[in-house]
Amino acid sequence: MVYLGVVPTALAFSTWAYALARTDAGKLGVTTYLVPPLVIALGWLLLDEVPPALAVVGGAVCLAGVALSRRRGRVSPPLAQEAGTRA
């Protein structure tokens, strides 16, 4: 008997390869961030699996950390070098 996880995995990898052949890897890589929220939402909707409150808090902390690390600070203009000095 075929393990039930093989068919969905093969389908997922085939879909990924199809999409990768048609777009940039960097753009497609961003879509992997959508997997956890989709899985949680589908589990809640289809299987009535309610995520624990601590898991929701942990997810929020992770998202806050990503947002903080990706934040762009102000860029100050480069200082003019003095005449006659070399960097």
Side-chain angles (χ1 to χ4, degrees):
M1 186 171 157
V2 176
Y3 177 66
L4 295 177
V6 172
V7 174
T9 302
L11 182 63
F13 276 110
S14 298
T15 305
W16 178 264
Y18 177 83
L20 190 57
R22 286 159 179 76
T23 189
D24 180 271
K27 290 179 183 176
L28 192 59
V30 173
T31 63
T32 59
Y33 291 122
L34 298 175
V35 173
L38 285 175
V39 170
I40 291 169
L42 288 173
W44 199 343
L45 180 69
L46 300 175
L47 302 175
D48 204 27
E49 294 178 348
V50 179
L54 192 56
V56 174
V57 170
V61 168
C62 289
L63 290 175
V66 170
L68 181 65
S69 70
R70 300 295 297 168
R71 184 180 59 164
R72 295 181 190 256
R74 281 193 220 171
V75 178
S76 59
L79 298 174
Q81 292 185 354
E82 294 180 25
T85 60
R86 295 180 186 234

